[in-house]
């Protein structure tokens, strides 16, 4: 009697099923040499090939993915402080950001005529008046010049200036009255006295007249935002450890927190063409940043403008900064360091404006290997409540790494003023020595607007 064997249905189906051939593997990428470089090899050609693949991946990535790829590996980096007491800090920061300093303000702020007498034609933000007709006629007569030169700013009329002067005097008297009620806590004098005064300009609820803020209903104001930027500048040889002898970039991170900032949906016009920055002097520093001193830390890399990537108000207009409580002009003068008073403010302006403006450019898809095709512009006002410093920044290049900064003639530009005193003192219920020039300059900063606004 023959033995029986049990055969499962699954095995029968497997035996009689048609055989499927696996698809052929994809062809290897074409090689430019006679042999292909292995991605895991330790040769210089393999390292260069991995770098080229990473650059190609970053170029093809969208905006949010590109930021994630650029900041995903948190290695040791130098933490750059916007407000530092290091000597000659402005030279260090200008080298790290490849920024040339130009004293004074750019041409739109320098070519302001004195205000006309009452009753004469004045230029308003809407473009009415005789001044608007003259500007339109001159622009039509020379279209090439108007295309390269920034548009002229509106002239501040006496009526607008008188209204702003009254509001500023009232705000100063109000803060002085609250100051007499209670003495502020230690190292919180600026927060108690100056910050409430700076909350007035720039927002939709601002008491300033609409003539002084043409972008009032289009702008977005942030209070105490976090602004970050991460980049590399220069190279170093690792001295010890399992990676000893390798060459790596020197990394930097700025973590800024301005008092407030104004963002707009359209970009401010350039102050000067990119080509005008060729050949300007930028300090060259050969020693390590530890000599400044800067200190290394290891934490998550951040690139942030104060708003998310999808925010429609993606361009910067003006930042307002308050100096720290330990910054005292009289103490620096008594110690024989009067020259460091303006150095501190210039370093603050370079660091904060570069951080904010470069982060805006990164949001638009630019980085060190995809340099800017158009300049980015931002403004800043730094104050201690009595003295005001005005800065304008134009970002012309992000190619700051060693590989990208080869035969790159572009320089970033910073314009700045010396400290301007807003008022002398407050006594007997009145503000003594209120300077109209500082008020006029502050209004002109707020009046700066995009070309199509």
């Amino acid at each position: 009697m023959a033995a029986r064997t049990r055969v499962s249905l699954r095995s029968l189906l497997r035996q009689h099923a048609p055989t499927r051939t696996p698809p052929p593997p994809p062809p290897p990428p074409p090689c430019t040499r006679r042999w292909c470089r292995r991605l895991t090899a330790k040769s210089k050609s393999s390292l260069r090939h991995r770098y080229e693949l990473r650059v190609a991946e970053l170029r093809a990535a969208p905006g949010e993915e590109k930021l994630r790829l650029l900041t995903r590996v948190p290695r040791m980096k130098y933490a750059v402080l916007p407000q530092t007491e290091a000597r000659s800090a402005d030279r260090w920061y200008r080298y790290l950001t490849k920024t040339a300093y130009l004293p004074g303000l750019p041409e739109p702020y320098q070519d302001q005529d004195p205000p006309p007498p009452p009753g004469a034609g004045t230029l308003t933000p809407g473009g009415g008046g005789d001044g608007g007709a003259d500007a339109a006629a001159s622009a039509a007569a020379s279209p090439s010049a108007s295309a390269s030169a920034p548009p002229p700013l509106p002239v501040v009329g006496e009526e607008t200036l008188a209204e702003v002067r009254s509001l500023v005097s009232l705000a100063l008297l109000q803060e002085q009255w609250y100051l007499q009620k209670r003495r502020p806590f230690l190292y919180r004098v600026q927060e108690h006295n100056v910050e409430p005064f700076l909350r007035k300009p720039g927002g939709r609820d601002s008491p300033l007249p609409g003539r002084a803020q043409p972008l009032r209903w289009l702008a977005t104001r942030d209070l105490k935002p976090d602004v970050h930027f991460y980049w590399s500048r220069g190279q170093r040889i690792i001295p010890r450890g399992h990676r000893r002898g390798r060459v790596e970039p020197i990394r930097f991170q700025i973590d800024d927190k301005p008092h407030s900032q104004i963002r707009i949906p359209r970009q401010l016009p350039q102050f000067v063409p990119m080509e005008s920055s060729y050949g300007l002097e930028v300090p060259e520093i050969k020693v390590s940043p530890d000599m400044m001193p800067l200190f290394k830390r290891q934490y998550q890399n951040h690139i942030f403008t104060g708003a998310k990537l999808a925010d429609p108000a993606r361009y910067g207009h003006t930042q307002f900064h308050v100096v720290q409580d330990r910054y005292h002009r009289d103490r620096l003068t008594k110690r024989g360091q009067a020259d460091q008073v303006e150095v501190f403010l210039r370093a603050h302006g370079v660091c904060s404006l570069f951080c904010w403006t470069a982060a805006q450019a990164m949001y638009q898809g630019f980085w060190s290997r995809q340099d800017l095709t158009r300049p980015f512009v931002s403004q800043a006002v730094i104050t201690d409540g009595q003295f005001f410093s005005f800065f304008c920044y134009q970002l012309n290049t992000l190619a700051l790494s060693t590989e990208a900064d080869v035969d790159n003639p572009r320089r970033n530009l910073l314009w700045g003023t010396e400290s301007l005193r807003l008022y002398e003192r407050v006594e007997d219920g009145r503000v003594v020595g209120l300077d109209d020039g500082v008020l006029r300059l502050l209004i002109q900063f707020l009046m700066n607007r995009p070309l199509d606004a």
Side-chain angles (χ1 to χ4, degrees), residues 205-434:
D205 55 346
S206 171
L208 295 182
R211 296 186 300 273
Q213 301 180 93
L215 301 176
R216 181 173 185 169
W217 302 107
L218 298 176
T220 301
R221 185 179 63 165
D222 306 322
L223 290 176
K224 297 292 186 69
D226 292 318
V227 183
H228 310 278
F229 188 69
Y230 167 77
W231 81 105
S232 63
R233 177 77 164 157
Q235 288 181 339
R236 77 179 188 109
I237 299 177
I238 302 176
R240 62 185 66 85
H242 69 283
R243 300 174 64 233
R244 179 182 58 187
R246 298 185 184 180
V247 178
E248 71 165 3
I250 304 177
R251 303 171 179 89
F252 300 91
Q253 172 81 54
I254 299 177
D255 300 313
D256 195 16
K257 198 177 186 69
H259 170 268
S260 59
Q261 64 184 16
I262 303 172
R263 293 180 290 109
I264 53 178
R266 291 187 291 273
Q267 190 174 355
L268 289 177
Q270 63 180 8
F271 294 121
V272 293
M274 279 187 176
E275 294 76 13
S276 62
S277 66
Y278 294 176
L280 294 181
E281 181 184 0
V282 174
E284 187 72 21
I285 299 179
K286 300 294 185 180
V287 298
S288 172
D290 301 270
M291 305 296 293
M292 181 183 166
L294 289 178
F295 300 97
K296 281 187 174 182
R297 294 178 59 191
Q298 186 172 8
Y299 58 99
Q300 187 63 37
N301 305 324
H302 292 288
I303 297 176
F304 192 59
T305 63
K308 293 187 177 180
L309 193 63
D311 196 299
R314 59 178 62 94
Y315 297 106
H317 188 278
T318 304
Q319 277 187 340
F320 294 91
H321 295 266
V322 179
V323 299
Q324 55 194 359
D325 284 279
R326 58 185 178 180
Y327 172 74
H328 298 279
R329 296 171 176 270
D330 51 352
R331 294 183 184 178
L332 290 173
T333 305
K334 290 179 181 178
R335 289 185 298 188
Q337 300 178 3
D339 57 330
Q340 299 299 309
V341 172
E342 299 299 333
V343 167
F344 174 88
L345 298 172
R346 279 198 300 270
H348 191 182
V350 170
C351 190
S352 297
L353 282 177
F354 171 77
C355 174
W356 195 34
T357 316
Q360 298 169 34
M362 296 282 280
Y363 271 30
Q364 302 302 313
F366 301 104
W367 59 297
S368 61
R369 299 311 298 261
Q370 282 180 297
D371 208 0
L372 306 182
T373 58
R374 64 184 188 273
F376 286 73
V377 170
S378 297
Q379 305 174 142
V381 179
I382 304 177
T383 179
D384 59 357
Q386 191 173 11
F387 290 89
F388 282 72
S389 299
F390 298 86
F391 295 95
C392 298
Y393 196 86
Q394 178 169 314
L395 185 76
N396 293 324
T397 180
L398 278 177
L400 302 179
S401 60
T402 304
E403 297 85 1
D405 192 15
V406 177
D407 298 331
N408 181 21
R410 297 183 185 179
R411 308 289 193 270
N412 299 321
L413 301 177
L414 174 77
W415 292 267
T417 65
E418 300 289 335
S419 299
L420 304 176
R421 186 191 292 268
L422 177 62
Y423 64 97
E424 295 288 341
R425 61 189 181 276
V426 178
E427 63 178 10
D428 298 333
R430 61 189 182 92
V431 181
V432 179
L434 189 61

Side-chain angles (χ1 to χ4, degrees), residues 25-314:
C31 297
T32 57
R33 297 175 180 269
R34 295 173 55 186
W35 44 271
C36 290
R37 295 175 287 268
R38 287 171 47 191
L39 295 180
T40 58
K42 295 184 178 180
S43 61
K44 293 183 179 179
S45 60
S46 177
L47 179 64
R48 191 183 312 112
H49 184 53
R50 290 197 298 269
Y51 179 77
E52 293 172 356
L53 291 179
R54 173 172 169 79
V55 170
E57 179 186 9
L58 283 168
R59 286 178 180 271
E64 189 171 358
E65 179 67 15
K66 184 178 296 183
L67 292 178
R68 188 192 68 82
L69 292 175
L70 287 171
T71 60
R72 63 181 177 179
V73 182
R75 296 191 181 275
M76 292 289 288
K77 58 194 173 184
Y78 288 100
V80 181
L81 303 178
Q83 300 194 29
T84 177
E85 296 181 356
R87 293 186 63 87
S88 303
D90 60 334
R91 295 189 69 255
W92 281 91
Y93 287 176
R94 286 165 54 197
Y95 162 70
L96 297 180
T97 61
K98 198 178 179 180
T99 301
Y101 175 70
L102 303 173
L105 290 178
E107 185 177 354
Y109 296 104
Q110 292 178 356
D111 295 345
Q112 291 297 312
D113 298 328
T122 58
L123 181 61
T124 61
D130 299 335
D134 296 340
S138 61
S142 56
S144 59
S146 62
S148 60
L153 292 176
V155 177
V156 182
E158 286 295 334
E159 181 182 356
T160 303
L161 185 61
E163 191 171 353
V164 172
R165 186 192 304 116
S166 175
L167 291 172
V168 169
S169 301
L170 183 62
L172 291 174
L173 292 176
Q174 184 181 15
E175 299 306 326
Q176 182 71 16
W177 183 78
Y178 279 107
L179 176 63
Q180 294 177 355
K181 291 181 63 177
R182 188 187 67 181
R183 185 177 180 181
F185 294 104
L186 187 64
Y187 292 115
R188 296 183 65 180
V189 177
Q190 305 287 8
E191 178 184 353
H192 186 84
N193 302 341
V194 183
E195 291 187 3
F197 171 72
L198 283 184
R199 291 195 186 102
K200 303 291 189 293
R204 297 184 180 181
D205 55 346
S206 171
L208 295 182
R211 296 186 300 273
Q213 301 180 93
L215 301 176
R216 181 173 185 169
W217 302 107
L218 298 176
T220 301
R221 185 179 63 165
D222 306 322
L223 290 176
K224 297 292 186 69
D226 292 318
V227 183
H228 310 278
F229 188 69
Y230 167 77
W231 81 105
S232 63
R233 177 77 164 157
Q235 288 181 339
R236 77 179 188 109
I237 299 177
I238 302 176
R240 62 185 66 85
H242 69 283
R243 300 174 64 233
R244 179 182 58 187
R246 298 185 184 180
V247 178
E248 71 165 3
I250 304 177
R251 303 171 179 89
F252 300 91
Q253 172 81 54
I254 299 177
D255 300 313
D256 195 16
K257 198 177 186 69
H259 170 268
S260 59
Q261 64 184 16
I262 303 172
R263 293 180 290 109
I264 53 178
R266 291 187 291 273
Q267 190 174 355
L268 289 177
Q270 63 180 8
F271 294 121
V272 293
M274 279 187 176
E275 294 76 13
S276 62
S277 66
Y278 294 176
L280 294 181
E281 181 184 0
V282 174
E284 187 72 21
I285 299 179
K286 300 294 185 180
V287 298
S288 172
D290 301 270
M291 305 296 293
M292 181 183 166
L294 289 178
F295 300 97
K296 281 187 174 182
R297 294 178 59 191
Q298 186 172 8
Y299 58 99
Q300 187 63 37
N301 305 324
H302 292 288
I303 297 176
F304 192 59
T305 63
K308 293 187 177 180
L309 193 63
D311 196 299
R314 59 178 62 94

